[in-house]
Amino acid sequence: MMIRLPGLIDIHTHLREPGATHKEDFATGTAAALAGGITTIFAMPNTQPPLIEADAFHLALDAAAQKARCDYGIYLGATADNAADLPSLADQAAGLKFYLNATYGPLLLDDVAAWRKHFEHWPVDRPIVAHAERQTLAALLFVAGLHDRAVHICHVSRAEEINLIKAAKDRGQPVTCEVAPHHLFLTTSDLPVDQDGEEEPWEGRMSVRPRLATPADQQALWDNLDVIDCFATDHAPHTLAEKDSDEPPSGFPGLETILPLLLTAVHQERLTIDDIVARMHTNPRRIFNLPEQPETWVEVDLQDEYIIQAAQTHTKCGWTPFEGWKARGRIRRVVLRGQDVFKDGQILAPPGYGNNIRAHQP
Ligand code: NCD
Ligand code: ZN
Ligand code: ZN
Ligand code: ZN
């Protein structure tokens, strides 16, 4: 059976431009998005240079304008000393990113006083999104509450975190959150076999931040679907050579597997199509105040069964943590603003077809 979905929105991707285009760039990352049924992506600011001031931000905006095949927004990154300068760029930004735990890249906001400066300066009509795990999440929710500011929590992975967000929502705090497919479908049991006696298990290719969590954590995410506002890939491509090195960088590609994995869960009756549309279209549009893309849809064959293979993907990174998984539900065709942009495995949108979702705001 063929069904039509609205153009999906992925609010969390790393397209590696500027600075690491051997991993991905705007042309390949947005090709991967279209192949995955995603017509809008938001790119994260932990690039080289990081997007923490006007020059770097414009490098990224210019590259995206020339190369993106789907619509896009780009985040700015918060640092200890850029709170006063960023508001002048906010109009052009998808939102502001807080990195509050160590992860891939140099951005880490360590100082609570700096969080507060950003809450004071950043305009209320642009979301603040945060990488905030465990106790850091509790601290962030408290400080956001002091400043009466809404905050969006990236890639929630643990029971303690989803329960904390649920409690904050129940008290009326304006908090939203996303969950990444790898935390819905992989756990610590998918890590390579543990080295004996090691405190930190060797993650190898499966290194990702937040780390893969326990089966109990994963169950808590499924048990609290109503608390999860968005599904977002956290598409974080690194090459296979990098992932298989002695110091594997953290991150998984995800743009081309999120919808097949979610559709497979629909087939297994763990999820509904409406659950997907709410979390990858309606809620992202509401949270980020996005315009509707006219004449835009995704055609999916719900019956088609196949094996996920990195060899058939468009990302530059050349691997997927879901290699060999059986999927049910294939993306056949994507139409973006009246044009066929993906059909039967072929990317049809040229680089530059994508619009910046913040460029033509009323
Ligand atoms: C991300 C990356 O590679 O940029 N890595 C990751 O493990 N998720 C950074 C991040 O999202 O924290
Ligand atoms: Zn992160
Ligand atoms: Zn990320
Ligand atoms: Zn819509």
Side-chain angles (χ1 to χ4, degrees):
M1 188 180 61
M2 289 288 252
I3 62 158
R4 252 188 203 201
L5 304 176
L8 301 181
I9 301 165
D10 185 356
I11 61 174
H12 190 150
T13 75
H14 301 267
L15 299 194
R16 307 305 190 200
E17 195 163 2
T21 52
H22 67 287
K23 298 176 194 274
E24 199 75 288
D25 64 27
F26 277 105
T28 55
T30 55
L34 291 174
I38 291 158
T39 55
T40 305
I41 58 93
F42 288 177
M44 284 293 169
N46 62 336
T47 50
Q48 293 168 311
L51 310 183
I52 57 176
E53 43 74 37
D55 288 347
F57 188 51
H58 285 116
L59 274 181
L61 286 172
D62 291 347
Q66 286 176 39
K67 296 167 78 173
R69 302 171 196 265
C70 70
D71 292 353
Y72 59 90
I74 301 182
Y75 289 101
L76 286 160
T79 69
D81 50 24
N82 68 0
D85 297 332
L86 290 185
S88 65
L89 301 170
D91 266 6
Q92 299 168 75
L96 177 63
K97 178 69 179 281
F98 282 12
Y99 285 94
L100 306 185
N101 304 102
T103 184
Y104 179 76
L107 295 176
L108 179 62
L109 250 195
D110 202 32
D111 174 358
V112 175
W115 310 1
R116 302 190 67 184
K117 275 194 213 129
H118 285 284
F119 279 127
E120 278 160 22
H121 283 89
W122 184 253
V124 288
D125 62 342
R126 285 284 181 277
I128 293 177
V129 310
H131 180 136
E133 302 181 41
R134 306 198 62 199
Q135 302 94 323
T136 307
L137 172 60
L140 176 67
L141 291 177
F142 175 77
V143 175
L146 288 182
H147 289 265
D148 263 320
R149 285 296 299 251
V151 65
H152 174 86
I153 310 303
C154 300
H155 45 42
V156 175
S157 65
R158 297 175 182 88
E160 67 180 273
E161 294 161 353
I162 199 70
N163 288 331
L164 191 61
I165 291 166
K166 179 177 165 42
K169 285 186 173 193
D170 287 347
R171 296 259 298 180
Q173 185 167 356
V175 53
T176 54
C177 70
E178 80 202 22
V179 168
H182 45 273
H183 293 122
L184 287 174
F185 297 106
L186 297 169
T187 66
T188 46
S189 65
D190 297 293
L191 290 173
V193 182
D194 207 338
Q195 275 89 2
D196 36 317
E198 294 269 352
E199 284 264 301
E200 307 261 282
W202 170 249
E203 296 171 285
R205 271 187 204 185
M206 298 307 249
S207 172
V208 68
R209 298 292 173 273
R211 294 170 192 276
L212 295 183
T214 65
D217 286 316
Q218 184 188 61
Q219 189 58 47
L221 299 179
W222 285 98
D223 289 344
N224 286 285
L225 267 185
D226 57 327
V227 182
I228 300 170
D229 300 279
C230 305
F231 296 136
T233 60
D234 190 14
H235 178 81
H238 301 283
T239 66
L240 202 45
E242 291 166 336
K243 292 295 287 183
D244 287 346
S245 71
D246 291 339
E247 283 178 71
S250 65
F252 296 162
L255 283 165
E256 289 163 272
T257 44
I258 184 170
L259 187 54
L261 292 169
L262 293 173
L263 291 171
T264 305
V266 170
H267 178 69
Q268 295 162 346
E269 300 183 349
R270 306 177 75 191
L271 211 58
T272 67
I273 295 288
D274 286 349
D275 286 333
I276 300 175
V277 172
R279 287 164 186 77
M280 295 195 73
H281 179 77
T282 319
N283 295 343
R285 275 195 65 214
R286 187 193 71 242
I287 296 165
F288 288 86
N289 188 24
L290 302 178
E292 190 82 73
Q293 294 167 307
E295 290 184 81
T296 297
W297 69 86
V298 178
E299 292 175 18
V300 162
D301 179 350
L302 286 178
Q303 255 65 59
D304 197 359
E305 241 185 317
Y306 57 101
I307 303 293
I308 292 175
Q309 289 173 302
Q312 302 199 342
T313 61
H314 298 81
T315 171
K316 263 188 203 179
C317 74
W319 78 287
T320 164
F322 305 105
E323 184 74 35
W325 284 37
K326 197 190 271 186
R328 187 163 176 133
R330 190 189 287 275
I331 300 135
R332 285 278 174 216
R333 178 178 180 215
V334 180
V335 177
L336 171 56
R337 286 180 274 103
Q339 300 290 317
D340 275 334
V341 288
F342 174 83
K343 205 170 180 191
D344 294 324
Q346 299 292 85
I347 305 291
L348 302 173
Y353 185 69
N355 285 342
N356 183 345
I357 50 92
R358 297 300 192 210
H360 311 282
Q361 288 287 297

